[in-house]
Amino acid sequence: MNGQQNSVDPARLQQVLDGRWAHVRQAVRDGLGADFVTIPGETGDEARGRVSALIRKIPTGVGVVDAFPAEYGGSGDPGGSVVAAEMLAQVDLSLMVKAGVHWGLFGGAVVALGTKRHHDEFLRDIMSVELPGCFAMTETGHGSDVQQLRTTCAYDPASGTFDLHTPHQAARKDYIGNAARDGRMAVVFAQLVTGGRRYGVHAWLVPIRDEHGRPMPGVTIEDAGAKAGLLGVDNGRISFDHVTVPRDMLLDRYGQVAEDGTYTSSIENDTRRFFTMLGTLVRGRVTVGGAALAATKSALTIAVRYGDARRQFTRPGDDREVLLNDYLAHQRKLLPALAYTYAYTFAQEELVATLADVQSGSEVEEHRQRELESRAAGLKAMQTWHATRTIQMCREACGGAGYLAENRLPGLKADTDVFTTFEGDNTVLLQLVAKGLLTGYRDAFGSLDGWGRATFVAEQVREMVLERTAARSVIQRLISAVPGRDEDVAVTDRGWHLKMFEFREKHLLEGAIRRLRAGAGSKKDRPFDIFNDVQDHVLQAATAHIERVTLEAFVAGIDRAADPAAAALLSRVCDLYALSVIEGDKGWFLEHGRLTPARSKAVTGVVNDLLRELRPAMRTLVDAFAVPDTWLNAAILREEPSRQEATAAEDAAVRSA
């Protein structure tokens, strides 16, 4: 690495990473001290009590209520609230989830699905946590398949009320955050029935406890039981035995029931109405992905700093032991994970910006909302899987010390493990991404029922299906500059990276469409079998799509970097991300003629070169995450100076002997 890259001020990198909501990030860093941080070794009851008290002490100025309308004390900035929640994840993941359930899911549903009378009556108490709430969607028998929920809420014109009922055990609301201990009201999702007809899933505000904390009549609340992590979150189960709900407690922005039971909606189609309602709640999914990434940054900071202080084994002829971070095997663990983390940081920034722009406008374009939902689903899946892999790897990189609760990594691992499941199972979410890609193909080339035209133009696919992220002109210029033959361009050429990612996505999408078309010919009366037979293929296409979007977001991030040295370092980290993805899928690229065996070996060689080049910048790269030491709360970091002094003393003793 040249001197310019090696001497980058972490603060310059931090400016790029903190992005549009840098002020929110800094407000959280300044506003939450050591008293908010996870305490290792707590019991479940202790953690629940502490987190329940802390959520009421979070300063409103740090952005957690930014998404609420300005007339109720918020700032109407959904992006700011997502970023504030991400930052809470570095303080205490239980606190982040508890806050996300209350303000993001419960409060967010009231804002998005309710009308002015609901806002006037409830929002201020929700914002102040005077009215702790739950988000009761998931059922024991129906998690990801929300459209098939079994809980019913039937309207009775004679009484002017709804009857909310759990018909059987599999229909109970399960895993509900804030339910087991603190929640007093829930947004409950159920099948709306009126006039003898079902109108699909809607949401109601339902009191579940009285002011003394006792369950309301007809409401049964149970603790969900011991969990692997998130001890401070009181997950519970809720069942309803013919609970009476007033008509005006229906959150009726998208569907209204008159006193006589007449149902009306501005969206006539039940399925479209359902997805429109769920689309307004996408902020929770965006938050979970960002929070997983924030926790990953904490883990990497701990592991890299430990590897810069811990020594093991000596070089032949050298008295001094070698730093862990100087081993190629250690660099192979940490540096690609750092590169992925940087890439996802830029992709998350772009996603949050899209969310803010879409949800802040009075009118939402359907294709922008659809793109937001698809990208939120895909990034959430990729970021949470990345967190699970990387935090485990960081634990291993810290050896036995990484297994001690006092060093934070076991807690990060346990607390983030469920992130791959909640706010949507990751595999299901990638299918949602694939559906979006296929819908884009259909919109460009015709009905998917007949699989469109027999032939299509590659340029049309590039412009109409492979929608560009930010920095479109930069990306197009880089791609256009690449020669026709792969062998004529360096493996570090950014345009070549972009072309390789684009080729893979386009080829996988075309292949999935060909297989679907073939299935439609032989199994036209069995649409489930047609899709199920190519499920592996469409998941690959979805993964390739998100990886391409992430790379383009990284390129856009580099383009925003004002400091040349910071931009140069980011460019090398981007090289490592792109080549790590290509190396990880080199079998596919070899099979499809985009890598020769010699070039495949060259990719691995260049990755190793990049690891050596980036080794001096490892500490700079994690310092740019700007996670305060008090938040990291790891004993091995507090021991850094003494460990370095002890190592120096040992070295001196060896030399004198």
Side-chain angles (χ1 to χ4, degrees):
M1 176 177 292
N2 63 46
Q4 183 189 40
Q5 293 171 346
N6 194 23
S7 61
V8 174
D9 181 353
R12 297 295 179 90
L13 280 180
Q14 182 190 333
Q15 288 176 354
V16 186
L17 294 178
D18 279 0
R20 175 170 161 182
W21 286 275
H23 62 289
V24 174
R25 298 185 190 279
Q26 197 55 48
V28 183
R29 293 183 186 115
D30 294 339
L32 302 186
D35 52 330
F36 282 89
V37 176
T38 302
I39 299 175
E42 284 180 304
T43 66
D45 286 341
E46 289 169 343
R48 287 181 177 187
R50 178 179 60 82
V51 170
S52 182
L54 286 177
I55 193 174
R56 292 167 169 82
K57 296 180 181 178
I58 298 175
T60 56
V62 303
V64 290
V65 296
D66 277 3
F68 289 92
E71 57 264 40
Y72 302 98
S75 60
D77 180 10
S81 69
V82 169
V83 169
E86 290 177 19
M87 300 300 290
L88 283 182
Q90 293 182 334
V91 183
D92 184 325
L93 282 151
S94 284
L95 182 61
M96 172 263 154
V97 171
K98 185 125 178 139
V101 167
H102 174 73
W103 285 307
L105 295 178
F106 174 62
V110 176
V111 171
L113 303 180
T115 52
K116 190 174 187 303
R117 71 173 187 276
H118 302 113
H119 299 171
D120 289 344
E121 185 172 355
F122 298 110
L123 285 190
R124 289 183 178 85
D125 284 346
I126 292 172
M127 293 171 67
S128 67
V129 204
E130 286 296 313
L131 180 63
C134 311
F135 186 81
M137 176 183 282
T138 301
E139 295 179 358
T140 304
H142 286 85
S144 297
D145 190 6
V146 178
Q147 203 167 6
Q148 301 302 320
L149 295 180
R150 298 299 193 242
T151 302
T152 59
C153 204
Y155 184 69
D156 175 21
S159 64
T161 61
F162 286 95
D163 178 78
L164 177 65
H165 186 59
T166 304
H168 47 74
Q169 190 78 344
R172 70 183 178 186
K173 299 299 179 181
D174 214 343
Y175 320 114
I176 309 303
N178 282 359
R181 167 184 163 138
D182 294 332
R184 282 178 42 211
M185 182 173 281
V187 170
V188 179
F189 289 80
Q191 301 285 350
L192 189 154
V193 182
T194 184
R197 179 188 161 185
R198 290 195 176 203
Y199 288 88
V201 174
H202 288 64
W204 288 259
L205 276 169
V206 182
I208 59 172
R209 284 187 176 89
D210 63 21
E211 64 273 18
H212 303 294
R214 295 176 299 223
M216 297 292 285
V219 178
T220 300
I221 303 174
E222 305 171 74
D223 196 304
K227 299 171 296 185
L230 297 175
L231 299 185
V233 183
D234 52 321
N235 295 89
R237 303 183 178 110
I238 313 174
S239 298
F240 305 97
D241 184 10
H242 296 289
V243 173
T244 299
V245 181
R247 185 174 64 91
D248 62 4
M249 296 296 266
L250 169 67
L251 295 175
D252 57 354
R253 177 179 176 184
Y254 293 101
Q256 303 80 40
V257 175
E259 287 187 30
D260 65 357
T262 303
Y263 180 86
T264 56
S265 174
S266 58
I267 305 172
E268 292 185 9
N269 182 275
D270 291 353
T271 299
R272 186 180 175 199
R273 184 189 318 114
F274 167 76
F275 283 108
T276 299
M277 291 170 62
L278 258 61
T280 64
L281 306 175
V282 71
R283 192 169 81 242
R285 192 166 285 164
V286 176
T287 300
V288 168
L293 189 64
T296 305
K297 292 174 182 177
S298 295
L300 282 166
T301 300
I302 293 168
V304 168
R305 287 175 58 176
Y306 181 73
D308 252 0
R310 180 74 160 87
R311 293 179 179 273
Q312 192 73 276
F313 303 110
T314 57
R315 292 183 180 90
D318 194 342
D319 293 334
R320 194 173 195 189
E321 291 181 307
V322 179
L323 286 169
L324 293 183
N325 284 348
D326 286 340
Y327 287 102
L328 176 63
H330 211 69
Q331 295 163 14
R332 270 276 177 182
K333 293 178 181 178
L334 295 176
L335 276 166
L338 267 170
Y340 273 83
T341 302
Y342 266 70
Y344 289 136
T345 297
F346 291 116
Q348 178 73 6
E349 166 81 5
E350 194 170 291
L351 177 65
V352 175
T354 302
L355 169 78
D357 294 343
V358 167
Q359 293 197 344
S360 296
S362 56
E363 295 292 331
V364 178
E365 296 178 31
E366 184 176 345
H367 82 277
R368 291 200 71 199
Q369 179 68 34
R370 190 172 65 191
E371 181 185 343
L372 169 64
E373 293 169 21
S374 175
R375 192 159 305 174
L379 270 175
K380 184 268 179 181
M382 302 298 279
Q383 288 172 317
T384 55
W385 273 327
H386 172 63
T388 297
R389 289 191 303 268
T390 301
I391 295 171
Q392 171 63 22
M393 178 271 295
C394 289
R395 205 291 299 156
E396 294 179 23
C398 292
Y403 197 61
L404 297 177
E406 68 177 9
N407 291 322
R408 191 73 192 283
L409 293 169
L412 291 173
K413 178 182 173 182
D415 288 346
T416 57
D417 191 53
V418 75
F419 281 32
T420 60
T421 300
F422 73 28
E423 283 295 324
D425 174 87
N426 283 356
T427 300
V428 175
L429 293 183
L430 283 183
Q431 291 183 75
L432 190 154
V433 175
K435 179 183 176 183
L437 294 172
L438 294 170
T439 300
Y441 180 90
R442 181 197 65 195
D443 292 348
F445 305 109
S447 170
L448 283 176
D449 294 334
W451 300 111
R453 299 198 301 251
T455 61
F456 53 89
V457 181
E459 285 302 316
Q460 286 180 298
V461 173
R462 182 173 291 113
E463 295 304 319
M464 301 178 78
V465 179
L466 304 182
E467 293 186 17
R468 293 279 172 232
T469 55
R472 290 168 175 81
S473 60
V474 173
I475 291 163
Q476 197 58 53
R477 175 174 53 79
L478 290 167
I479 290 175
S480 300
V482 180
R485 283 166 33 95
D486 290 337
E487 292 78 6
D488 296 334
V489 62
V491 297
T492 54
D493 185 280
R494 184 75 66 244
W496 182 71
H497 300 158
L498 291 161
K499 284 190 71 172
M500 291 284 279
F501 279 50
E502 182 178 296
F503 170 82
R504 183 179 56 154
E505 178 185 352
K506 178 174 172 290
H507 194 286
L508 284 166
L509 180 59
E510 291 174 8
I513 290 168
R514 282 194 296 271
R515 290 180 65 188
L516 285 165
R517 184 189 295 122
S522 60
K523 304 175 183 178
K524 59 183 178 180
D525 296 327
R526 291 180 287 163
F528 172 82
D529 291 337
I530 294 171
F531 188 82
N532 196 47
D533 287 349
V534 300
Q535 197 173 38
D536 59 334
H537 204 138
V538 298
L539 290 174
Q540 276 187 291
T543 300
H545 171 72
I546 296 301
E547 288 178 336
R548 191 263 302 172
V549 165
T550 299
L551 175 59
E552 292 189 357
F554 205 149
V555 173
I558 297 170
D559 192 56
R560 292 196 303 270
D563 181 70
L569 177 55
L570 287 171
S571 184
R572 300 310 274 163
V573 176
C574 187
D575 287 342
L576 182 58
Y577 166 71
L579 292 175
S580 293
V581 172
I582 292 170
E583 184 184 41
D585 208 12
K586 63 165 59 176
W588 189 93
F589 286 109
L590 281 162
E591 288 174 357
H592 293 84
R594 291 310 299 262
L595 284 179
T596 62
R599 195 165 176 85
S600 174
K601 293 177 181 178
V603 167
T604 296
V606 171
V607 167
N608 286 339
D609 290 342
L610 283 167
L611 298 178
R612 286 186 284 269
E613 185 178 340
L614 288 168
R615 161 62 184 101
M618 289 176 74
R619 180 63 186 264
T620 296
L621 291 171
V622 296
D623 284 351
F625 296 148
V627 186
D629 279 0
T630 52
W631 292 6
L632 291 171
N633 196 28
I636 49 175
L637 301 189
R638 294 191 291 273
E639 297 165 1
E640 273 180 306
S642 59
R643 182 180 293 111
Q644 290 167 346
E645 290 173 8
T647 302
E650 290 173 11
D651 293 344
V654 169
R655 285 193 296 272
S656 64

